[in-house]
C-alpha cells in the first residue's frame, strides 16, 4: 500500500488585500523548511460583487482573542468578516452578494476606512468604533457590537469639502486625522467629537498664488506627536500639532503625485517610506533640522535615503511596514503585491493578485515572517518555471508561464491558456481597415 501524505495544516493568512473587483483576498506565506518552500497562496475570503468595489480594510487590536476584520466598499457597505478568514465556497459567495442591498448606498461615495477604538458599553459588551470617510466631506463613526453583524451610527463629523484619508491612533484617548482635496489636515478628539487641530496652508508661492491642498495619506509618528502627510503635489510634510499649525518639514520629491506613505519607527531613528503615481518607492529621513538651521524648515535636514528597487509598473495604491520582520508591503495599479526588504531596499517577493488593488491590511501572523522565508517563497515561483525550460525561453513565453502559475481564484487554468492562445493568434484586420499610405510627387 502507498502511504498518503499528511494533509497540510491550516495556516492563518498574513495579509488581506482590498480589491476593486469586490473581493477581499488573503495572502498566506507557507512555512519554509529546507527545499519545501511553497509560493504564497492567494484565496478569496469575502465577495461583495462587482458593483461594490472594496476600498478599505481595518482590524481591531489583538486583545487576547482573534482580531475582528472589517471591510468597506465604495458604495457604502460596511461588513465584518468571518473570524477564520477561510476561502468562500459557491453558496457563501451567493449569500454575500444577496446581502449587498441597494438601499444601503449613501448619497456620497465612501473613500476610506479606519479603526478608531474599542470600548465597553453600559451592558459590558465590547464595541468597536470605526471611522468611514465620504466624498462629500463627512466622516461617519460606526459602532459594531461583538455579537452583532451590523453597525449603528454613533456620530457624524464635518471635515471639509472632501475626505480622502482617515487615520486613528490611541485607545483611551483616541484621535482621528482627516484630509482630502482642498481639505487640509485636521485632528479630532473622538470622544468629544470636536476638532483639536487644523493645519494652516503654506504661504503663497513666488507668484503670490495660493498653494492648492490635496492630502493623499496621513501616518502618525511617536504616538501622534508628529504626523507625516503626503500630498498630490509631490510633497512630503511633517506636522507637529503641539507646536505650530504649518508643517515643520516640507520636502518636494520627484514630479509625480505621492499616493501613499508609511511611517517606519525604530529605536534609533524614524523614517518615512512613500510611493508616487509613477510607481517609484523612496525612503526619507524627515527628522527636524537643528535649532541653528531652523530658519528654513524642512528642506535643510529632510533627505532621500534611497529608492526601493525595482519600482512598480503602476501607481502605488497602499504601503505598510512590519518593523519586527523588516518588511515593506506595497500594492500598485499593476495588480501586484510586492514585498521589499527594509534594510537593503530590495524586492523579495511579488504576487499577481488578478484584480485592481485598493489597499492592504497586515494581520497578527505577519510578524512571524522573516526576510529569508519571503525571499525563498518568491524565488520558488520563478525557479520552478525556469528549471523546466533550460533550452532557453523567450521573455514573452516566460511571462505567459508566470501568468499560468499564479494561484487560481477567479477562473481555471483552461481559461487562462485559451486567453494566451487567442492573444498569440492575433485578430485579423477588418476589411477596408488597412494602414493609411501617403504618396508624394515631385510636382511643386
Amino acid at each position: 500500500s502507498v502511504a498518503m501524505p499528511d494533509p497540510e495544516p491550516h495556516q492563518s493568512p498574513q495579509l488581506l488585500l482590498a480589491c476593486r473587483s469586490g473581493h477581499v483576498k488573503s495572502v498566506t506565506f507557507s512555512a519554509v523548511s529546507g527545499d519545501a518552500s511553497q509560493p504564497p497562496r492567494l484565496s478569496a475570503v469575502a465577495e461583495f460583487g462587482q458593483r461594490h468595489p472594496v476600498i478599505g480594510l481595518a482590524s481591531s487590536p489583538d486583545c487576547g482573542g482573534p482580531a475582528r476584520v472589517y471591510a468597506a466598499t465604495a458604495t457604502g457597505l460596511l461588513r465584518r468578516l468571518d473570524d477564520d478568514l477561510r476561502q468562500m465556497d459557491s453558496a457563501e459567495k451567493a449569500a454575500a452578494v444577496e446581502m449587498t442591498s441597494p438601499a444601503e448606498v449613501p448619497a456620497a461615495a465612501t473613500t476610506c476606512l479606519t479603526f478608531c477604538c474599542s470600548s465597553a458599553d453600559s451592558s459590558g459588551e465590547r464595541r468597536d468604533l470605526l471611522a468611514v470617510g465620504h466624498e462629500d466631506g463627512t466622516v461617519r463613526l460606526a459602532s459594531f457590537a461583538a455579537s452583532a453583524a451590523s453597525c449603528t451610527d454613533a456620530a457624524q463629523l464635518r471635515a471639509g469639502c472632501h475626505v480622502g484619508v482617515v487615520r486613528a491612533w490611541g485607545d483611551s484617548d483616541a484621535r482621528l486625522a482627516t484630509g482630502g482635496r482642498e481639505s487640509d489636515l485636521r485632528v479630532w478628539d473622538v470622544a468629544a467629537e470636536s476638532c483639536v487641530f487644523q493645519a494652516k496652508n503654506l504661504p503663497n508661492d513666488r507668484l503670490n498664488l495660493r498653494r492648492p491642498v490635496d492630502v493623499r495619506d496621513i501616518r502618525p509618528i511617536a504616538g501622534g506627536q508628529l504626523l507625516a502627510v503626503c500630498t498630490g503635489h509631490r510633497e512630503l510634510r511633517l506636522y507637529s500639532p503641539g507646536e505650530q499649525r504649518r508643517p515643520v518639514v516640507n520636502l518636494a520629491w520627484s514630479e509625480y503625485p505621492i499616493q501613499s506613505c508609511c511611517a517606519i519607527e525604530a529605536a534609533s531613528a524614524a523614517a518615512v517610506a512613500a510611493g508616487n503615481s509613477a510607481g517609484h518607492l523612496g525612503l526619507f529621513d524627515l527628522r527636524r533640522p537643528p535649532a541653528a538651521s531652523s530658519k528654513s524648515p524642512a528642506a535643510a535636514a529632510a533627505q532621500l535615503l534611497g529608492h526601493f528597487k525595482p519600482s512598480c509598473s503602476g501607481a502605488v495604491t497602499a504601503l505598510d511596514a512590519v518593523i519586527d520582520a523588516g518588511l515593506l508591503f506595497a500594492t500598485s495599479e499593476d495588480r501586484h503585491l510586492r514585498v521589499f526588504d527594509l534594510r537593503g531596499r530590495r524586492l523579495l517577493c511579488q504576487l499577481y493578485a488578478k484584480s485592481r488593488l485598493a489597499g492592504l491590511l497586515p494581520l497578527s501572523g505577519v510578524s512571524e515572517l522573516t526576510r529569508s522565508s519571503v525571499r525563498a517563497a518568491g524565488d520558488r515561483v520563478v525557479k520552478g518555471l525556469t528549471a523546466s525550460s533550460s533550452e532557453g525561453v523567450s521573455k514573452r513565453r516566460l511571462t505567459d508561464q508566470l501568468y499560468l502559475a499564479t494561484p487560481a481564484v477567479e477562473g481555471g487554468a483552461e481559461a487562462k491558456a485559451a486567453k494566451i492562445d487567442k492573444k498569440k493568434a492575433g485578430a485579423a484586420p477588418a476589411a477596408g481597415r488597412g494602414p493609411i499610405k501617403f504618396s508624394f510627387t515631385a510636382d511643386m
Side-chain angles (χ1 to χ4, degrees), residues 50-99:
Q50 295 183 355
R51 297 185 298 109
H52 305 279
V54 182
I55 51 91
L57 298 170
S59 67
S60 63
D62 188 4
C63 302
R68 296 173 293 276
V69 180
Y70 300 90
T73 67
T75 54
L77 299 179
L78 183 60
R79 294 285 185 266
R80 183 170 60 198
L81 306 184
D82 294 335
D83 294 337
D84 53 1
L85 295 176
R86 57 181 175 80
Q87 186 170 358
M88 301 175 65
D89 54 20
S90 58
E92 291 173 332
K93 291 180 180 180
V97 173
E98 291 180 0
M99 290 176 59

Side-chain angles (χ1 to χ4, degrees), residues 55-315:
I55 51 91
L57 298 170
S59 67
S60 63
D62 188 4
C63 302
R68 296 173 293 276
V69 180
Y70 300 90
T73 67
T75 54
L77 299 179
L78 183 60
R79 294 285 185 266
R80 183 170 60 198
L81 306 184
D82 294 335
D83 294 337
D84 53 1
L85 295 176
R86 57 181 175 80
Q87 186 170 358
M88 301 175 65
D89 54 20
S90 58
E92 291 173 332
K93 291 180 180 180
V97 173
E98 291 180 0
M99 290 176 59
T100 57
S101 173
E104 300 183 34
V105 177
T110 303
T111 57
C112 46
L113 170 70
T114 189
F115 178 85
C116 290
C117 59
S118 180
S119 60
D121 56 7
S122 58
S123 61
E125 187 178 15
R126 300 292 298 179
R127 301 188 69 91
D128 294 338
L129 188 66
L130 291 92
V132 184
H134 298 275
E135 281 189 346
D136 60 353
T138 59
V139 178
R140 180 168 62 100
L141 299 180
S143 178
F144 267 91
S147 59
S150 59
C151 64
T152 57
D153 291 344
Q156 188 170 347
L157 308 176
R158 185 69 186 180
C161 59
H162 176 267
V163 175
V165 56
V166 289
R167 296 290 180 189
W169 64 92
D171 193 6
S172 58
D173 188 17
R175 291 289 188 268
L176 180 69
T178 62
R181 290 192 302 269
E182 296 303 329
S183 298
D184 216 337
L185 172 67
R186 300 186 186 189
V187 179
W188 302 79
D189 187 349
V190 176
E193 301 177 7
S194 61
C195 181
V196 296
F197 172 79
Q198 184 173 357
K200 187 177 181 180
N201 197 8
L202 293 175
N204 295 348
D205 59 9
R206 59 187 180 88
L207 298 178
N208 200 25
L209 298 177
R210 174 185 173 273
R211 297 177 184 267
V213 177
D214 188 4
V215 178
R216 297 293 179 91
D217 202 357
I218 305 171
R219 293 296 175 126
I221 301 177
Q225 297 181 6
L226 299 174
L227 294 174
V229 175
C230 66
T231 71
H233 302 284
R234 66 187 188 88
E235 293 174 334
L236 273 174
R237 297 177 178 178
L238 187 67
Y239 287 87
S240 179
E243 183 176 349
Q244 65 182 33
R245 293 176 60 188
R246 280 176 173 161
V248 296
V249 173
N250 185 44
L251 173 66
W253 174 47
S254 181
E255 56 184 9
Y256 302 100
I258 304 177
Q259 300 288 99
S260 180
C261 65
C262 176
I264 301 173
E265 301 183 59
S268 57
V272 173
N276 58 22
S277 60
H280 303 151
L281 294 170
L283 186 62
F284 299 87
D285 182 7
L286 297 184
R287 287 178 295 181
R288 294 281 304 276
S293 62
S294 60
K295 293 183 179 179
S296 87
Q303 59 179 340
L304 174 65
L305 300 179
H307 288 90
F308 290 87
K309 296 295 184 178
S311 59
C312 304
S313 300

Side-chain angles (χ1 to χ4, degrees), residues 412-436:
E414 296 80 4
K416 295 180 181 179
K419 184 177 180 180
I420 293 175
D421 294 339
K422 183 178 179 181
K423 187 184 298 183
K424 288 181 179 179
R433 293 287 183 176
I436 301 176

Side-chain angles (χ1 to χ4, degrees), residues 277-363:
S277 60
H280 303 151
L281 294 170
L283 186 62
F284 299 87
D285 182 7
L286 297 184
R287 287 178 295 181
R288 294 281 304 276
S293 62
S294 60
K295 293 183 179 179
S296 87
Q303 59 179 340
L304 174 65
L305 300 179
H307 288 90
F308 290 87
K309 296 295 184 178
S311 59
C312 304
S313 300
V316 178
T317 56
L319 287 176
D320 214 320
V322 181
I323 308 302
D324 298 337
L327 301 174
L328 176 70
F329 299 92
T331 58
S332 56
E333 287 288 354
D334 59 355
R335 308 186 182 193
H336 277 81
L337 166 70
R338 291 176 173 86
V339 187
F340 293 90
D341 181 10
L342 282 176
R343 182 179 302 175
R345 300 192 300 275
R346 293 295 177 183
L347 179 65
L348 299 178
C349 178
Q350 68 178 9
L351 177 64
Y352 181 63
K354 304 185 182 66
S355 302
R356 294 178 58 196
L357 301 178
L360 62 92
L361 176 66
L363 300 178

